[in-house]
Amino acid sequence: MKNRIHPALIVITVLTFLFLLGPLVVIIGSALSDTSYLTFPPQGLTLHWFTNIFEVSAFTRTMGTSFMLAIGGTTVSMLIGIPAAYALARYRVELPAFLGNVFVLPILIPEIVLGFSLMKSLASGFGLPIIVALLIGHALIVLPYTVRVVGASLNSFDFSIEEAAVSLGCTRIKAFFVVVLPNIRAGIIAGFILAFITSLNDVSISIFLTGPGVSTLPIQLLAHMEQFFDPTIASASVLLMGVTVAVMAVVERTLGLTFLTK
Amino acid sequence: MSNQLRAWLIATPATLLVTIFLVLPVLATFATTFGDPEGPFATYSAFFNSRFRTTVLWRTMEVALVTTMISVAIGFVTAWVVARTPSRLKSLLIIAAVFPLLTGVVVRSFAWLVILGKNGVLNSFLLSIGVISEPLSMLYTQGSVIVAMVYLFVPLMILTLVGVLEGIPQDLTDAAASLGAPPAAAFRQVVLPMAVPGLIVGSVLVFTGSFTSYATPQLLGGERQMMMGTFLYQRAMVTFDWVGASTIAAVMVVVTLATVLTMSRVARKLNPMAG
């Protein structure tokens, strides 16, 4: 009688996973179709639409911008988020309790509201160049991921090791780099990856901050979908899925995927 | 240097980023809504007196609520089965749930555009087996938006609930059964109360996520099924009515925060152990 699961529940579960994976199969199939319109199952197989992505300058340009933003925004949020997470974990008594919540605000406030508000004050108020505004926006929305995930590994770090290094004559800065950082490596990798993916796929912030000449891949795809309906969009989508697969492989190798359910 | 000063210095860059680029701009957005010459709340009474605007608000609430309920139903069953699957298959299933979650919103909504379109996968299939004789128009309906939203958020619900359900030891349900509880009673009295915190977290994530979504209603709902997110964008970037857009933004923030605060209070009440 142990582990007996009602067959009806298993049927529902199988259907759920078909529902989750089916649409992705449809995209892959229609990206390979040898027709000038989107169709599934594919009729004839071709990789033409994949090469076509690189011939449309709007796609290559925005792809470059997206990767640059994802790396840049994530790096900025790491550079300021790791110290913030460290301060929260190390100086729990000295810092007010609400500070931890401040860093979660970018997920709590609806992203589209944040995008609109940033656009109003940045682009029109400060007159910042579009790319800088985008970089700030992306660093901001991924900050909660870096602070939370790095914070989780700092919470299981024993700070007395750091104190030991300091009392043996190590400077505080050096102790941080030599003792603390290597011990929270897993959290930093996980935080970086979550932040990178979030930034790469972002729509709600970018839609307000992109402007003439500067756009990101998801925004370009969105605009393209509303006008054209050829398999290039499907192949670009498959390319983005490929990035996700690569990232998941990295997560699996370094941490194991089950950490995502914790 | 005192510890207090050092702590603040280290946390300052991140605090500044959030204050300058989130707190102040969002407060500025709120401030514009109270600047109407006809009185501080004029923009809000205009919002709630406009049939069109309140329709958008209720439609968004309805879509978010239905999406949440369907996601809870599907997600709970699936998570229950996944949590009780042997570990090798389990990690495969978790990968299958995480993968769509890490795929972008645009890509996932686009898939439904291909499936539900007039010449789409579903119509071709139904035509070929002779169930319908003319293609159905399924896009740009509330149904198409809800299907795509459920697709977007079910993985999130599954992952949230798997973590919680895994924590319920099999021994507990076995104990209930050995004491004579029929499966339904064991489920209701043992499993469900322990799963409530996870259900609340999952529901809040799904409700606020679908209430504030932009790309999905934009692609699958269009002008006809305008929701708060698409409405805000349209007011801000198409008609350049920034005060109107700010009012929509404020309503969205209030609904989101009210949901989060109420549900965390409910969660605390149902689970006094959590403090």
Side-chain angles (χ1 to χ4, degrees):
Chain A
M1 81 169 279
K2 230 177 164 164
N3 267 331
R4 214 191 50 200
I5 305 171
H6 197 281
L9 299 184
I10 295 178
V11 171
I12 296 177
T13 305
V14 170
L15 289 177
T16 307
F17 280 102
L18 284 179
F19 171 69
L20 287 182
L21 300 177
L24 302 179
V25 173
V26 167
I27 294 185
I28 297 173
S30 48
L32 293 171
S33 182
D34 193 12
T35 48
S36 60
Y37 51 92
L38 277 163
T39 182
F40 185 90
Q43 292 164 14
L45 291 178
T46 177
L47 289 175
H48 167 71
W49 301 109
F50 284 91
T51 51
N52 198 43
I53 308 173
F54 298 98
E55 274 150 30
V56 182
S57 68
F59 281 130
T60 47
R61 210 178 47 235
T62 53
M63 207 183 290
T65 312
S66 275
F67 275 99
M68 215 196 68
L69 271 179
I71 293 172
T74 305
T75 307
V76 171
S77 87
M78 278 285 163
L79 288 178
I80 63 173
I82 295 173
Y86 172 82
L88 285 178
R90 173 77 174 74
Y91 301 106
R92 229 166 277 172
V93 190
E94 286 86 352
L95 290 172
F98 73 86
L99 197 64
N101 296 331
V102 169
F103 303 128
V104 194
L105 277 178
I107 341 190
L108 199 58
I109 298 291
E111 214 181 292
I112 192 135
V113 172
L114 189 53
F116 169 60
S117 306
L118 256 182
M119 180 273 289
K120 274 198 312 158
S121 52
L122 280 186
S124 52
F126 296 120
L128 279 180
I130 293 169
I131 191 76
V132 179
L134 272 171
L135 191 71
I136 292 173
H138 280 241
L140 192 61
I141 51 161
V142 301
L143 185 69
Y145 297 95
T146 54
V147 174
R148 283 314 261 299
V149 178
V150 174
S153 47
L154 276 167
N155 282 338
S156 52
F157 174 71
D158 183 0
F159 284 101
S160 55
I161 309 175
E162 190 197 15
E163 285 307 316
V166 172
S167 70
L168 289 172
C170 190
T171 62
R172 287 208 162 265
I173 305 266
K174 193 174 174 206
F176 177 76
F177 283 102
V178 178
V179 179
V180 181
L181 270 191
N183 276 296
I184 55 168
R185 205 180 52 220
I188 292 176
I189 296 173
F192 195 96
I193 282 166
L194 276 181
F196 181 85
I197 290 283
T198 308
S199 161
L200 192 67
N201 289 325
D202 174 74
V203 173
S204 298
I205 285 269
S206 310
I207 191 106
F208 283 101
L209 299 176
T210 48
V214 185
S215 190
T216 66
L217 187 57
I219 303 300
Q220 182 63 36
L221 283 176
L222 201 61
H224 198 89
M225 277 169 205
E226 285 168 357
Q227 291 160 18
F228 311 101
F229 218 61
D230 69 38
T232 315
I233 324 169
S235 51
S237 304
V238 173
L239 217 66
L240 276 174
M241 281 159 63
V243 176
T244 309
V245 172
V247 162
M248 282 180 71
V250 175
V251 176
E252 177 61 39
R253 296 215 79 150
T254 49
L255 311 155
L257 276 168
T258 40
F259 96 98
L260 284 165
T261 58
K262 281 172 190 142
Chain B
M1 193 178 352
S2 81
N3 273 348
Q4 179 130 31
L5 185 62
R6 186 179 291 126
W8 272 109
L9 272 181
I10 301 173
T12 295
T15 315
L16 277 183
L17 182 83
V18 176
T19 313
I20 298 176
F21 296 112
L22 184 144
V23 176
L24 294 180
V26 171
L27 287 181
T29 295
F30 292 165
T32 44
T33 64
F34 300 113
D36 199 278
E38 285 173 41
F41 297 104
T43 53
Y44 292 96
S45 57
F47 182 95
F48 286 102
N49 282 325
S50 150
R51 203 176 164 139
F52 178 73
R53 289 175 233 190
T54 46
T55 308
V56 173
L57 176 61
W58 298 136
R59 180 190 295 133
T60 313
M61 291 240 187
E62 193 182 324
V63 168
L65 210 60
V66 174
T67 302
T68 309
M69 292 190 306
I70 299 176
S71 303
V72 166
I74 299 178
F76 193 93
V77 171
T78 309
W80 174 255
V81 174
V82 171
R84 263 143 192 72
T85 306
S87 71
R88 209 162 168 81
L89 181 60
K90 188 197 281 179
S91 34
L92 258 176
L93 291 178
I94 288 177
I95 292 176
V98 171
F99 185 67
L101 198 63
L102 294 182
T103 308
V105 178
V106 174
V107 173
R108 284 189 286 163
S109 306
F110 168 67
W112 288 100
L113 218 53
V114 180
I115 296 171
L116 300 175
K118 224 167 198 138
N119 303 311
V121 179
L122 193 55
N123 265 327
S124 327
F125 175 71
L126 292 177
L127 281 171
S128 72
I129 61 166
V131 176
I132 51 171
S133 53
E134 256 171 48
L136 306 168
S137 37
M138 290 174 282
L139 280 183
Y140 315 117
T141 59
Q142 195 150 320
S144 60
V145 177
I146 291 174
V147 169
M149 293 260 200
V150 170
Y151 181 64
L152 231 49
F153 291 110
V154 156
L156 201 59
M157 187 65 95
I158 294 177
L159 292 177
T160 311
L161 289 176
V162 166
V164 175
L165 293 177
E166 269 181 340
I168 302 178
Q170 178 86 41
D171 297 357
L172 278 183
T173 40
D174 286 351
S178 75
L179 291 171
F187 176 79
R188 213 179 48 245
Q189 292 173 20
V190 179
V191 177
L192 209 51
M194 293 186 75
V196 160
L199 281 170
I200 290 180
V201 171
S203 305
V204 169
L205 287 176
V206 175
F207 181 85
T208 54
S210 34
F211 185 78
T212 60
S213 61
Y214 169 78
T216 308
Q218 173 70 19
L219 280 174
L220 294 151
E223 289 275 308
R224 264 198 284 163
Q225 295 294 327
M226 202 174 273
M227 287 178 45
M228 291 298 271
T230 46
F231 191 30
L232 167 58
Y233 181 78
Q234 192 241 23
R235 276 296 137 107
M237 306 303 269
V238 181
T239 60
F240 293 103
D241 168 17
W242 283 12
V243 176
S246 302
T247 313
I248 300 168
V251 173
M252 285 174 90
V253 172
V254 169
V255 171
T256 311
L257 290 185
T259 310
V260 172
L261 292 178
T262 319
M263 293 315 278
S264 53
R265 181 159 293 191
V266 170
R268 214 168 305 148
K269 199 157 237 169
L270 287 175
N271 184 6
M273 303 282 281

